[in-house]
């Protein structure tokens, strides 16, 4: 029996958007879903109870970071990630591939795997597809990812081709290495911005029959138009009855475009990281709470928002906290931004259920433009 | 009608400890009470709801810091501190005296007041007793403090004498400057470690008839033995029917000694600041969560503690969060430490009610010694 069960609940009649239900060993997720990032076994500045309160359904944890510190074996001895971090909902772990490839000079790729140096202490490590699976099995997430190579952008056709082929061979090794049957394994389609390479990669991955499929190698510096194009032609290449996940994106509009193309899952550090830098999402555009114009502004971040922060705090106070470097600034800003993302997903699911995602998408852009984004 | 009402509920038969009830415009406080410090209009890392959950009864805010940023007039225009920071319970503001005197080279004292430079931008400011009251009236705390001079330790007898006399004259000016009748004003007894100067200062202050009395100038580098001695001989110099407050102390044992001498109110950054440095209070002594010995420790910080942190997280996870520099480390450590302090006060009040504070104090030390404090 597979570790997860995915059911399409509704397909929007006006576009490729779809809503579904993804059952994992730690609970059922409504899709499309945004997965907040808990890099080091904590969604920065939030408790698990707060994540529940804002209706987070699944959390993503970073294999690379947890492998480096505190170490996957330690996490396993302490009962696995769920118990370690006091989160009993679903968890997805990435494979560590993206972080390892981001190390640049500090890593060396071979057929066997990747040798790299820890960003913390320079110590030398080696991760192969087999090891990436073993690490993720020790961490114990509900969904684990194949170890892939994520090429940079821009990159030559030949480089991307060889890279996607390597990712394909590694995907097969990942599948063979997998031991636990209470975890789902997703394959990752690569191929950069080259349509034929994406098609070939998708075909290869699909032949291996994974529990779900991701698009990797997006949001690596390419123009948004290109990213949207890749999502649009890639989504239909993936099996309709399996969850589709675009890794590492994105801005709210990127999620809207992904959903419009038939994508079910997203993750991104944007809402949490930007929060800590004072950038807040609102239904009418982004604001920067640092701006002097908010010094005496008694209104909430977003008049339309029903979150704890918007119910209880003024922009003036949030600006003060931010300028004073207070931890509460990061907490409240993160709370609001995650609530914004999760509410956007709730709205999208509702719109799909009512066959009006196209209208929802149009309204999203119309509203957003009414203010425009601040620096 | 005075802004606050203080009633002694019980005097312990075995020592000078007493429990009482202090009614302010924003609620009633059970004494002895520990006041968590919310320097910049937030108790670092905590929300007001969490402060309620751990049963904080009153919060202290720092006049100097709020005067410098965001400015008392801005806070007043935004409805005062309670509304600004979303805390509808009692607030005490200090006078700014202690912070100003801590500026060292950056300040110059005269009969009229103190000229000083902002620690943020070097801008020049002048605070007189009248101005300290005006600033605190703008902030809008329930209890405000006289502007005093806090001499360093050690200091020559003559310096401390002149300083205490100045504090006395400033106290009179503060009382005369006060306009709002919904705020209580406390006088501050100075006199360093010189008993006759403390006695004279107490006499002078009492003659001015304040709503409560504080001992200032303690925990400035003197030995604990000396601090305890000053509390012991000063408390009886103050009116029995008014609240007694020792400013800026201290460690748990300092609170126990203060209560034993008949003190009702305390404040200190120790539980919050130490939390952010990984130092945690337990019933059997202090631990440092950084220590390698906790790497795989599945037990809570304190087996006897019933707080949210001890119910849900292991020492191993807290150590991981601390090492990873996660905001959640500061949050959970602060939560536990404040809970420890507030529970200690609850225990003290209960012991006083049952005439067994002496026993409570003895047990506190016996338990604490069983482990000893870690570095």
């Amino acid at each position: 029996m597979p570790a997860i069960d995915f059911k399409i609940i509704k397909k929007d009649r006006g576009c490729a958007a779809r809503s579904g239900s993804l059952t994992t060993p730690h609970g059922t997720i409504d899709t499309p879903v945004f997965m907040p990032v808990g890099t080091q076994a904590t969604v920065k500045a939030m408790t698990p109870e707060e994540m529940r309160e804002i209706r987070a359904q699944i959390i993503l944890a970073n294999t690379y970071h947890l492998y480096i510190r505190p170490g996957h074996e330690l996490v396993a001895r302490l009962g696995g990630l769920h118990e370690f971090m006091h989160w009993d909902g679903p968890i997805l772990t990435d494979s560590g591939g993206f972080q390892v490839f981001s190390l640049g000079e500090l890593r060396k790729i071979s057929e066997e795997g990747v040798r790299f140096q820890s960003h913390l202490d320079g110590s030398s490590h080696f991760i192969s597809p087999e090891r990436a699976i073993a690490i993720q099995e020790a961490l114990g997430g509900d969904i684990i990812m194949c170890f892939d190579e994520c090429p940079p952008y821009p990159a030559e056709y030949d480089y991307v081709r060889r890279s996607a082929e390597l990712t394909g061979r590694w995907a097969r090794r990942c599948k063979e290495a997998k031991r636990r049957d209470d975890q789902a394994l997703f394959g990752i389609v690569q191929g950069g911005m080259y349509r034929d390479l994406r098609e070939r990669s998708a075909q290869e991955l699909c032949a291996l029959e994974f529990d779900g499929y991701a698009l990797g190698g997006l949001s690596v510096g390419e123009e948004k138009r290109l990213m949207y194009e890749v999502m649009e032609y890639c989504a239909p290449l993936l099996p309709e009855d399996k969850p589709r996940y675009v890794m590492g994106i994105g801005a709210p509009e990127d999620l809207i475009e992904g959903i419009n193309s038939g994508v079910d899952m997203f993750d991104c550090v944007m809402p949490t990281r930007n929060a800590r830098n004072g950038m807040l999402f609102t239904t009418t555009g982004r604001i920067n709470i640092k701006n002097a114009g908010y010094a005496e502004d008694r209104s909430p971040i977003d008049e339309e928002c029903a979150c704890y922060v918007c119910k209880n705090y003024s922009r003036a106070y949030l600006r003060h906290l931010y300028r004073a470097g207070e931890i509460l600034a990061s907490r409240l800003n993160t709370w609001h931004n995650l609530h914004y993302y999760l509410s956007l997903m709730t709205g999208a699911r509702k719109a799909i259920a009512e066959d009006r995602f196209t209208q929802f998408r149009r309204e999203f852009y119309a509203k957003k433009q009414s203010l425009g984004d601040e620096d």
Side-chain angles (χ1 to χ4, degrees), chain A residues 273-307:
Chain A
R273 179 177 294 166
N274 287 15
R276 299 195 302 281
N277 293 323
M279 204 229 81
L280 302 172
F281 293 95
T282 83
T283 44
T284 54
R286 302 174 192 183
I287 69 169
N288 198 317
I289 202 66
K290 287 191 282 287
N291 289 350
Y294 301 126
E296 305 210 14
D297 191 338
R298 297 176 88 141
S299 58
I301 300 169
D302 187 344
E303 295 281 2
E304 285 189 33
C305 179
C307 85

Side-chain angles (χ1 to χ4, degrees), chain A residues 222-239:
Chain A
E222 78 281 11
E223 285 169 38
K224 273 186 191 285
R225 186 192 47 76
L226 205 49
M227 182 207 300
Y228 297 165
E229 212 180 284
V230 175
M231 291 197 296
E232 197 177 354
Y233 65 64
C234 279
L237 303 174
L238 304 172

